[in-house]
Structures are given as structure tokens and as C-alpha cells.
PDB file of all heavy atoms in Angstrom:
ATOM      1  N   ASN A   1     -70.549 -13.526-105.439  1.00  0.00           N
ATOM      2  CA  ASN A   1     -71.671 -12.585-105.302  1.00  0.00           C
ATOM      3  C   ASN A   1     -73.006 -13.322-105.374  1.00  0.00           C
ATOM      4  O   ASN A   1     -74.000 -12.898-104.782  1.00  0.00           O
ATOM      5  CB  ASN A   1     -71.613 -11.536-106.411  1.00  0.00           C
ATOM      6  CG  ASN A   1     -70.497 -10.533-106.209  1.00  0.00           C
ATOM      7  OD1 ASN A   1     -69.714 -10.650-105.265  1.00  0.00           O
ATOM      8  ND2 ASN A   1     -70.395  -9.565-107.091  1.00  0.00           N
ATOM      9  N   GLY A   2     -73.010 -14.435-106.116  1.00  0.00           N
ATOM     10  CA  GLY A   2     -74.242 -15.199-106.292  1.00  0.00           C
ATOM     11  C   GLY A   2     -74.761 -15.830-105.022  1.00  0.00           C
ATOM     12  O   GLY A   2     -75.959 -16.133-104.928  1.00  0.00           O
ATOM     13  N   ILE A   3     -73.896 -16.039-104.042  1.00  0.00           N
ATOM     14  CA  ILE A   3     -74.355 -16.621-102.772  1.00  0.00           C
ATOM     15  C   ILE A   3     -75.335 -15.676-102.078  1.00  0.00           C
ATOM     16  O   ILE A   3     -76.384 -16.097-101.589  1.00  0.00           O
ATOM     17  CB  ILE A   3     -73.158 -16.948-101.856  1.00  0.00           C
ATOM     18  CG1 ILE A   3     -72.349 -18.095-102.460  1.00  0.00           C
ATOM     19  CG2 ILE A   3     -73.641 -17.322-100.456  1.00  0.00           C
ATOM     20  CD1 ILE A   3     -71.106 -18.461-101.678  1.00  0.00           C
ATOM     21  N   SER A   4     -74.987 -14.377-102.047  1.00  0.00           N
ATOM     22  CA  SER A   4     -75.906 -13.406-101.431  1.00  0.00           C
ATOM     23  C   SER A   4     -77.174 -13.261-102.260  1.00  0.00           C
ATOM     24  O   SER A   4     -78.272 -13.069-101.719  1.00  0.00           O
ATOM     25  CB  SER A   4     -75.215 -12.049-101.267  1.00  0.00           C
ATOM     26  OG  SER A   4     -74.868 -11.507-102.534  1.00  0.00           O
ATOM     27  N   VAL A   5     -77.033 -13.358-103.594  1.00  0.00           N
ATOM     28  CA  VAL A   5     -78.204 -13.304-104.466  1.00  0.00           C
ATOM     29  C   VAL A   5     -79.117 -14.499-104.206  1.00  0.00           C
ATOM     30  O   VAL A   5     -80.344 -14.356-104.158  1.00  0.00           O
ATOM     31  CB  VAL A   5     -77.775 -13.275-105.950  1.00  0.00           C
ATOM     32  CG1 VAL A   5     -78.990 -13.383-106.859  1.00  0.00           C
ATOM     33  CG2 VAL A   5     -77.013 -11.995-106.253  1.00  0.00           C
ATOM     34  N   THR A   6     -78.518 -15.659-104.040  1.00  0.00           N
ATOM     35  CA  THR A   6     -79.295 -16.868-103.747  1.00  0.00           C
ATOM     36  C   THR A   6     -80.138 -16.683-102.495  1.00  0.00           C
ATOM     37  O   THR A   6     -81.319 -17.050-102.466  1.00  0.00           O
ATOM     38  CB  THR A   6     -78.358 -18.080-103.567  1.00  0.00           C
ATOM     39  OG1 THR A   6     -77.640 -18.297-104.776  1.00  0.00           O
ATOM     40  CG2 THR A   6     -79.145 -19.326-103.208  1.00  0.00           C
ATOM     41  N   LYS A   7     -79.533 -16.089-101.479  1.00  0.00           N
ATOM     42  CA  LYS A   7     -80.272 -15.855-100.234  1.00  0.00           C
ATOM     43  C   LYS A   7     -81.466 -14.934-100.476  1.00  0.00           C
ATOM     44  O   LYS A   7     -82.567 -15.195 -99.983  1.00  0.00           O
ATOM     45  CB  LYS A   7     -79.342 -15.256 -99.172  1.00  0.00           C
ATOM     46  CG  LYS A   7     -80.032 -15.078 -97.827  1.00  0.00           C
ATOM     47  CD  LYS A   7     -79.062 -14.596 -96.763  1.00  0.00           C
ATOM     48  CE  LYS A   7     -79.792 -14.453 -95.422  1.00  0.00           C
ATOM     49  NZ  LYS A   7     -78.879 -13.984 -94.347  1.00  0.00           N
ATOM     50  N   SER A   8     -81.264 -13.862-101.248  1.00  0.00           N
ATOM     51  CA  SER A   8     -82.349 -12.915-101.519  1.00  0.00           C
ATOM     52  C   SER A   8     -83.468 -13.557-102.337  1.00  0.00           C
ATOM     53  O   SER A   8     -84.655 -13.399-102.023  1.00  0.00           O
ATOM     54  CB  SER A   8     -81.805 -11.694-102.267  1.00  0.00           C
ATOM     55  OG  SER A   8     -80.876 -10.988-101.488  1.00  0.00           O
ATOM     56  N   VAL A   9     -83.072 -14.296-103.383  1.00  0.00           N
ATOM     57  CA  VAL A   9     -84.068 -14.909-104.275  1.00  0.00           C
ATOM     58  C   VAL A   9     -84.853 -16.000-103.551  1.00  0.00           C
ATOM     59  O   VAL A   9     -86.086 -16.066-103.657  1.00  0.00           O
ATOM     60  CB  VAL A   9     -83.377 -15.475-105.534  1.00  0.00           C
ATOM     61  CG1 VAL A   9     -84.363 -16.306-106.354  1.00  0.00           C
ATOM     62  CG2 VAL A   9     -82.801 -14.342-106.373  1.00  0.00           C
ATOM     63  N   VAL A  10     -84.154 -16.850-102.799  1.00  0.00           N
ATOM     64  CA  VAL A  10     -84.836 -17.938-102.080  1.00  0.00           C
ATOM     65  C   VAL A  10     -85.703 -17.377-100.958  1.00  0.00           C
ATOM     66  O   VAL A  10     -86.778 -17.916-100.668  1.00  0.00           O
ATOM     67  CB  VAL A  10     -83.811 -18.962-101.538  1.00  0.00           C
ATOM     68  CG1 VAL A  10     -84.509 -20.039-100.708  1.00  0.00           C
ATOM     69  CG2 VAL A  10     -83.044 -19.598-102.681  1.00  0.00           C
ATOM     70  N   THR A  11     -85.265 -16.277-100.340  1.00  0.00           N
ATOM     71  CA  THR A  11     -86.100 -15.631 -99.318  1.00  0.00           C
ATOM     72  C   THR A  11     -87.419 -15.180 -99.925  1.00  0.00           C
ATOM     73  O   THR A  11     -88.488 -15.367 -99.326  1.00  0.00           O
ATOM     74  CB  THR A  11     -85.366 -14.422 -98.710  1.00  0.00           C
ATOM     75  OG1 THR A  11     -84.182 -14.870 -98.060  1.00  0.00           O
ATOM     76  CG2 THR A  11     -86.257 -13.706 -97.693  1.00  0.00           C
ATOM     77  N   TYR A  12     -87.354 -14.590-101.114  1.00  0.00           N
ATOM     78  CA  TYR A  12     -88.578 -14.174-101.809  1.00  0.00           C
ATOM     79  C   TYR A  12     -89.455 -15.374-102.164  1.00  0.00           C
ATOM     80  O   TYR A  12     -90.676 -15.338-101.984  1.00  0.00           O
ATOM     81  CB  TYR A  12     -88.229 -13.402-103.077  1.00  0.00           C
ATOM     82  CG  TYR A  12     -89.394 -13.263-104.035  1.00  0.00           C
ATOM     83  CD1 TYR A  12     -90.432 -12.365-103.777  1.00  0.00           C
ATOM     84  CD2 TYR A  12     -89.472 -14.057-105.190  1.00  0.00           C
ATOM     85  CE1 TYR A  12     -91.513 -12.261-104.647  1.00  0.00           C
ATOM     86  CE2 TYR A  12     -90.545 -13.952-106.053  1.00  0.00           C
ATOM     87  CZ  TYR A  12     -91.561 -13.053-105.779  1.00  0.00           C
ATOM     88  OH  TYR A  12     -92.639 -12.956-106.630  1.00  0.00           O
ATOM     89  N   ALA A  13     -88.828 -16.442-102.632  1.00  0.00           N
ATOM     90  CA  ALA A  13     -89.586 -17.591-103.139  1.00  0.00           C
ATOM     91  C   ALA A  13     -90.071 -18.529-102.039  1.00  0.00           C
ATOM     92  O   ALA A  13     -91.182 -19.070-102.130  1.00  0.00           O
ATOM     93  CB  ALA A  13     -88.734 -18.374-104.137  1.00  0.00           C
ATOM     94  N   ALA A  14     -89.250 -18.712-100.990  1.00  0.00           N
ATOM     95  CA  ALA A  14     -89.602 -19.758-100.014  1.00  0.00           C
ATOM     96  C   ALA A  14     -89.417 -19.360 -98.563  1.00  0.00           C
ATOM     97  O   ALA A  14     -89.618 -20.192 -97.669  1.00  0.00           O
ATOM     98  CB  ALA A  14     -88.768 -21.004-100.307  1.00  0.00           C
ATOM     99  N   GLY A  15     -89.017 -18.139 -98.291  1.00  0.00           N
ATOM    100  CA  GLY A  15     -88.887 -17.705 -96.908  1.00  0.00           C
ATOM    101  C   GLY A  15     -87.449 -17.683 -96.425  1.00  0.00           C
ATOM    102  O   GLY A  15     -86.559 -18.311 -97.012  1.00  0.00           O
ATOM    103  N   GLU A  16     -87.226 -16.966 -95.332  1.00  0.00           N
ATOM    104  CA  GLU A  16     -85.871 -16.745 -94.820  1.00  0.00           C
ATOM    105  C   GLU A  16     -85.223 -18.021 -94.306  1.00  0.00           C
ATOM    106  O   GLU A  16     -84.024 -18.236 -94.505  1.00  0.00           O
ATOM    107  CB  GLU A  16     -85.909 -15.695 -93.705  1.00  0.00           C
ATOM    108  CG  GLU A  16     -84.531 -15.263 -93.233  1.00  0.00           C
ATOM    109  CD  GLU A  16     -84.579 -14.112 -92.250  1.00  0.00           C
ATOM    110  OE1 GLU A  16     -85.675 -13.560 -92.026  1.00  0.00           O
ATOM    111  OE2 GLU A  16     -83.511 -13.775 -91.697  1.00  0.00           O
ATOM    112  N   GLU A  17     -85.992 -18.877 -93.653  1.00  0.00           N
ATOM    113  CA  GLU A  17     -85.420 -20.108 -93.100  1.00  0.00           C
ATOM    114  C   GLU A  17     -84.862 -21.001 -94.215  1.00  0.00           C
ATOM    115  O   GLU A  17     -83.753 -21.525 -94.115  1.00  0.00           O
ATOM    116  CB  GLU A  17     -86.478 -20.863 -92.300  1.00  0.00           C
ATOM    117  CG  GLU A  17     -85.927 -22.086 -91.581  1.00  0.00           C
ATOM    118  CD  GLU A  17     -86.967 -22.770 -90.707  1.00  0.00           C
ATOM    119  OE1 GLU A  17     -88.028 -22.161 -90.447  1.00  0.00           O
ATOM    120  OE2 GLU A  17     -86.718 -23.920 -90.290  1.00  0.00           O
ATOM    121  N   THR A  18     -85.624 -21.147 -95.277  1.00  0.00           N
ATOM    122  CA  THR A  18     -85.168 -21.938 -96.419  1.00  0.00           C
ATOM    123  C   THR A  18     -83.958 -21.295 -97.086  1.00  0.00           C
ATOM    124  O   THR A  18     -83.035 -21.989 -97.534  1.00  0.00           O
ATOM    125  CB  THR A  18     -86.301 -22.083 -97.464  1.00  0.00           C
ATOM    126  OG1 THR A  18     -87.456 -22.633 -96.835  1.00  0.00           O
ATOM    127  CG2 THR A  18     -85.865 -22.980 -98.610  1.00  0.00           C
ATOM    128  N   ALA A  19     -83.954 -19.966 -97.128  1.00  0.00           N
ATOM    129  CA  ALA A  19     -82.833 -19.244 -97.726  1.00  0.00           C
ATOM    130  C   ALA A  19     -81.553 -19.481 -96.934  1.00  0.00           C
ATOM    131  O   ALA A  19     -80.482 -19.731 -97.517  1.00  0.00           O
ATOM    132  CB  ALA A  19     -83.145 -17.755 -97.792  1.00  0.00           C
ATOM    133  N   ASN A  20     -81.643 -19.432 -95.616  1.00  0.00           N
ATOM    134  CA  ASN A  20     -80.471 -19.674 -94.775  1.00  0.00           C
ATOM    135  C   ASN A  20     -79.949 -21.096 -94.952  1.00  0.00           C
ATOM    136  O   ASN A  20     -78.741 -21.327 -95.009  1.00  0.00           O
ATOM    137  CB  ASN A  20     -80.817 -19.424 -93.307  1.00  0.00           C
ATOM    138  CG  ASN A  20     -81.037 -17.951 -93.011  1.00  0.00           C
ATOM    139  OD1 ASN A  20     -80.498 -17.075 -93.694  1.00  0.00           O
ATOM    140  ND2 ASN A  20     -81.841 -17.650 -92.001  1.00  0.00           N
ATOM    141  N   THR A  21     -80.875 -22.031 -95.055  1.00  0.00           N
ATOM    142  CA  THR A  21     -80.488 -23.428 -95.283  1.00  0.00           C
ATOM    143  C   THR A  21     -79.792 -23.577 -96.629  1.00  0.00           C
ATOM    144  O   THR A  21     -78.787 -24.291 -96.754  1.00  0.00           O
ATOM    145  CB  THR A  21     -81.723 -24.350 -95.233  1.00  0.00           C
ATOM    146  OG1 THR A  21     -82.384 -24.196 -93.973  1.00  0.00           O
ATOM    147  CG2 THR A  21     -81.323 -25.802 -95.422  1.00  0.00           C
ATOM    148  N   SER A  22     -80.308 -22.904 -97.637  1.00  0.00           N
ATOM    149  CA  SER A  22     -79.719 -22.961 -98.980  1.00  0.00           C
ATOM    150  C   SER A  22     -78.294 -22.426 -98.985  1.00  0.00           C
ATOM    151  O   SER A  22     -77.398 -23.007 -99.621  1.00  0.00           O
ATOM    152  CB  SER A  22     -80.568 -22.160 -99.969  1.00  0.00           C
ATOM    153  OG  SER A  22     -81.882 -22.671-100.046  1.00  0.00           O
ATOM    154  N   VAL A  23     -78.077 -21.332 -98.268  1.00  0.00           N
ATOM    155  CA  VAL A  23     -76.738 -20.739 -98.204  1.00  0.00           C
ATOM    156  C   VAL A  23     -75.773 -21.688 -97.495  1.00  0.00           C
ATOM    157  O   VAL A  23     -74.622 -21.862 -97.942  1.00  0.00           O
ATOM    158  CB  VAL A  23     -76.783 -19.376 -97.486  1.00  0.00           C
ATOM    159  CG1 VAL A  23     -75.366 -18.867 -97.202  1.00  0.00           C
ATOM    160  CG2 VAL A  23     -77.539 -18.354 -98.328  1.00  0.00           C
ATOM    161  N   VAL A  24     -76.222 -22.308 -96.425  1.00  0.00           N
ATOM    162  CA  VAL A  24     -75.368 -23.265 -95.692  1.00  0.00           C
ATOM    163  C   VAL A  24     -74.982 -24.432 -96.602  1.00  0.00           C
ATOM    164  O   VAL A  24     -73.825 -24.866 -96.628  1.00  0.00           O
ATOM    165  CB  VAL A  24     -76.079 -23.778 -94.424  1.00  0.00           C
ATOM    166  CG1 VAL A  24     -75.302 -24.936 -93.800  1.00  0.00           C
ATOM    167  CG2 VAL A  24     -76.238 -22.665 -93.406  1.00  0.00           C
ATOM    168  N   ILE A  25     -75.949 -24.940 -97.351  1.00  0.00           N
ATOM    169  CA  ILE A  25     -75.684 -26.038 -98.291  1.00  0.00           C
ATOM    170  C   ILE A  25     -74.665 -25.609 -99.344  1.00  0.00           C
ATOM    171  O   ILE A  25     -73.731 -26.355 -99.668  1.00  0.00           O
ATOM    172  CB  ILE A  25     -76.991 -26.517 -98.954  1.00  0.00           C
ATOM    173  CG1 ILE A  25     -77.903 -27.194 -97.910  1.00  0.00           C
ATOM    174  CG2 ILE A  25     -76.691 -27.489-100.098  1.00  0.00           C
ATOM    175  CD1 ILE A  25     -79.287 -27.529 -98.435  1.00  0.00           C
ATOM    176  N   LEU A  26     -74.855 -24.412 -99.885  1.00  0.00           N
ATOM    177  CA  LEU A  26     -73.901 -23.889-100.870  1.00  0.00           C
ATOM    178  C   LEU A  26     -72.499 -23.782-100.278  1.00  0.00           C
ATOM    179  O   LEU A  26     -71.501 -24.156-100.923  1.00  0.00           O
ATOM    180  CB  LEU A  26     -74.352 -22.518-101.375  1.00  0.00           C
ATOM    181  CG  LEU A  26     -75.404 -22.477-102.483  1.00  0.00           C
ATOM    182  CD1 LEU A  26     -75.786 -21.037-102.790  1.00  0.00           C
ATOM    183  CD2 LEU A  26     -74.884 -23.159-103.748  1.00  0.00           C
ATOM    184  N   TYR A  27     -72.430 -23.272 -99.059  1.00  0.00           N
ATOM    185  CA  TYR A  27     -71.147 -23.137 -98.383  1.00  0.00           C
ATOM    186  C   TYR A  27     -70.468 -24.506 -98.266  1.00  0.00           C
ATOM    187  O   TYR A  27     -69.284 -24.661 -98.589  1.00  0.00           O
ATOM    188  CB  TYR A  27     -71.340 -22.544 -96.991  1.00  0.00           C
ATOM    189  CG  TYR A  27     -71.225 -21.032 -96.926  1.00  0.00           C
ATOM    190  CD1 TYR A  27     -71.664 -20.243 -97.987  1.00  0.00           C
ATOM    191  CD2 TYR A  27     -70.685 -20.390 -95.817  1.00  0.00           C
ATOM    192  CE1 TYR A  27     -71.571 -18.869 -97.933  1.00  0.00           C
ATOM    193  CE2 TYR A  27     -70.586 -19.007 -95.754  1.00  0.00           C
ATOM    194  CZ  TYR A  27     -71.025 -18.251 -96.816  1.00  0.00           C
ATOM    195  OH  TYR A  27     -70.911 -16.897 -96.771  1.00  0.00           O
ATOM    196  N   LEU A  28     -71.203 -25.500 -97.805  1.00  0.00           N
ATOM    197  CA  LEU A  28     -70.639 -26.835 -97.583  1.00  0.00           C
ATOM    198  C   LEU A  28     -70.182 -27.462 -98.904  1.00  0.00           C
ATOM    199  O   LEU A  28     -69.113 -28.085 -98.969  1.00  0.00           O
ATOM    200  CB  LEU A  28     -71.666 -27.728 -96.887  1.00  0.00           C
ATOM    201  CG  LEU A  28     -72.025 -27.337 -95.447  1.00  0.00           C
ATOM    202  CD1 LEU A  28     -73.141 -28.227 -94.914  1.00  0.00           C
ATOM    203  CD2 LEU A  28     -70.796 -27.422 -94.540  1.00  0.00           C
ATOM    204  N   LEU A  29     -70.987 -27.294 -99.949  1.00  0.00           N
ATOM    205  CA  LEU A  29     -70.629 -27.864-101.250  1.00  0.00           C
ATOM    206  C   LEU A  29     -69.361 -27.218-101.804  1.00  0.00           C
ATOM    207  O   LEU A  29     -68.454 -27.919-102.282  1.00  0.00           O
ATOM    208  CB  LEU A  29     -71.787 -27.678-102.243  1.00  0.00           C
ATOM    209  CG  LEU A  29     -73.033 -28.544-102.003  1.00  0.00           C
ATOM    210  CD1 LEU A  29     -74.153 -28.145-102.966  1.00  0.00           C
ATOM    211  CD2 LEU A  29     -72.693 -30.023-102.171  1.00  0.00           C
ATOM    212  N   TRP A  30     -69.291 -25.888-101.722  1.00  0.00           N
ATOM    213  CA  TRP A  30     -68.117 -25.194-102.234  1.00  0.00           C
ATOM    214  C   TRP A  30     -66.884 -25.494-101.383  1.00  0.00           C
ATOM    215  O   TRP A  30     -65.771 -25.641-101.923  1.00  0.00           O
ATOM    216  CB  TRP A  30     -68.353 -23.694-102.284  1.00  0.00           C
ATOM    217  CG  TRP A  30     -69.109 -23.202-103.481  1.00  0.00           C
ATOM    218  CD1 TRP A  30     -70.286 -22.515-103.497  1.00  0.00           C
ATOM    219  CD2 TRP A  30     -68.732 -23.357-104.859  1.00  0.00           C
ATOM    220  NE1 TRP A  30     -70.666 -22.227-104.786  1.00  0.00           N
ATOM    221  CE2 TRP A  30     -69.735 -22.736-105.646  1.00  0.00           C
ATOM    222  CE3 TRP A  30     -67.651 -23.966-105.501  1.00  0.00           C
ATOM    223  CZ2 TRP A  30     -69.677 -22.701-107.037  1.00  0.00           C
ATOM    224  CZ3 TRP A  30     -67.592 -23.937-106.890  1.00  0.00           C
ATOM    225  CH2 TRP A  30     -68.598 -23.313-107.638  1.00  0.00           C
ATOM    226  N   LEU A  31     -67.064 -25.594-100.069  1.00  0.00           N
ATOM    227  CA  LEU A  31     -65.933 -25.905 -99.190  1.00  0.00           C
ATOM    228  C   LEU A  31     -65.364 -27.288 -99.507  1.00  0.00           C
ATOM    229  O   LEU A  31     -64.139 -27.473 -99.583  1.00  0.00           O
ATOM    230  CB  LEU A  31     -66.357 -25.829 -97.724  1.00  0.00           C
ATOM    231  CG  LEU A  31     -66.600 -24.428 -97.157  1.00  0.00           C
ATOM    232  CD1 LEU A  31     -67.216 -24.507 -95.768  1.00  0.00           C
ATOM    233  CD2 LEU A  31     -65.300 -23.629 -97.109  1.00  0.00           C
ATOM    234  N   ALA A  32     -66.258 -28.253 -99.711  1.00  0.00           N
ATOM    235  CA  ALA A  32     -65.801 -29.615-100.036  1.00  0.00           C
ATOM    236  C   ALA A  32     -65.115 -29.642-101.399  1.00  0.00           C
ATOM    237  O   ALA A  32     -64.011 -30.193-101.545  1.00  0.00           O
ATOM    238  CB  ALA A  32     -66.997 -30.575-100.019  1.00  0.00           C
ATOM    239  N   ALA A  33     -65.762 -29.036-102.399  1.00  0.00           N
ATOM    240  CA  ALA A  33     -65.190 -29.017-103.747  1.00  0.00           C
ATOM    241  C   ALA A  33     -63.867 -28.245-103.768  1.00  0.00           C
ATOM    242  O   ALA A  33     -62.909 -28.649-104.442  1.00  0.00           O
ATOM    243  CB  ALA A  33     -66.186 -28.384-104.721  1.00  0.00           C
ATOM    244  N   GLY A  34     -63.809 -27.140-103.025  1.00  0.00           N
ATOM    245  CA  GLY A  34     -62.596 -26.334-102.979  1.00  0.00           C
ATOM    246  C   GLY A  34     -61.437 -27.044-102.309  1.00  0.00           C
ATOM    247  O   GLY A  34     -60.293 -26.944-102.766  1.00  0.00           O
ATOM    248  N   ALA A  35     -61.727 -27.754-101.218  1.00  0.00           N
ATOM    249  CA  ALA A  35     -60.678 -28.487-100.508  1.00  0.00           C
ATOM    250  C   ALA A  35     -60.095 -29.590-101.392  1.00  0.00           C
ATOM    251  O   ALA A  35     -58.873 -29.761-101.474  1.00  0.00           O
ATOM    252  CB  ALA A  35     -61.233 -29.071 -99.222  1.00  0.00           C
ATOM    253  N   ILE A  36     -60.971 -30.334-102.053  1.00  0.00           N
ATOM    254  CA  ILE A  36     -60.516 -31.408-102.955  1.00  0.00           C
ATOM    255  C   ILE A  36     -59.715 -30.829-104.118  1.00  0.00           C
ATOM    256  O   ILE A  36     -58.636 -31.325-104.473  1.00  0.00           O
ATOM    257  CB  ILE A  36     -61.720 -32.215-103.480  1.00  0.00           C
ATOM    258  CG1 ILE A  36     -62.398 -32.955-102.320  1.00  0.00           C
ATOM    259  CG2 ILE A  36     -61.278 -33.212-104.553  1.00  0.00           C
ATOM    260  CD1 ILE A  36     -63.733 -33.581-102.691  1.00  0.00           C
ATOM    261  N   SER A  37     -60.249 -29.757-104.723  1.00  0.00           N
ATOM    262  CA  SER A  37     -59.578 -29.136-105.867  1.00  0.00           C
ATOM    263  C   SER A  37     -58.222 -28.561-105.476  1.00  0.00           C
ATOM    264  O   SER A  37     -57.232 -28.698-106.207  1.00  0.00           O
ATOM    265  CB  SER A  37     -60.454 -28.030-106.452  1.00  0.00           C
ATOM    266  OG  SER A  37     -61.664 -28.551-106.941  1.00  0.00           O
ATOM    267  N   GLY A  38     -58.180 -27.917-104.312  1.00  0.00           N
ATOM    268  CA  GLY A  38     -56.919 -27.359-103.839  1.00  0.00           C
ATOM    269  C   GLY A  38     -55.867 -28.440-103.632  1.00  0.00           C
ATOM    270  O   GLY A  38     -54.686 -28.250-103.965  1.00  0.00           O
TER     271      GLY A  38
END
């Protein structure tokens, strides 16, 4: 749920473009960590 919250909070603080970038980074980090952990 925090991923969607991150997008909302970063959009407020730094704009939609930065928020989208932040979500992509989060996705990539979790995907890498999840693949290794799995």
C-alpha cells in the first residue's frame, strides 16, 4: 500500500514526474530484492 502512498506524497512534495520516477525505482528495488530472496 505504501507504494501508492509514496506516489501521492512525492507528487505533493516534488511533482508528478518525480513521483513516477520514485515508484519505478521502488519497483526495481523490490523486484531485485524479491528475486534474490525467492
Side-chain angles (χ1 to χ4, degrees):
N1 287 3
I3 292 177
S4 63
V5 173
T6 299
K7 184 175 181 180
S8 297
V9 171
V10 176
T11 298
Y12 164 75
E16 188 173 353
E17 186 176 346
T18 305
N20 290 334
T21 303
S22 300
V23 170
V24 170
I25 292 172
L26 278 177
Y27 268 34
L28 293 175
L29 289 174
W30 278 121
L31 287 171
I36 295 170
S37 297

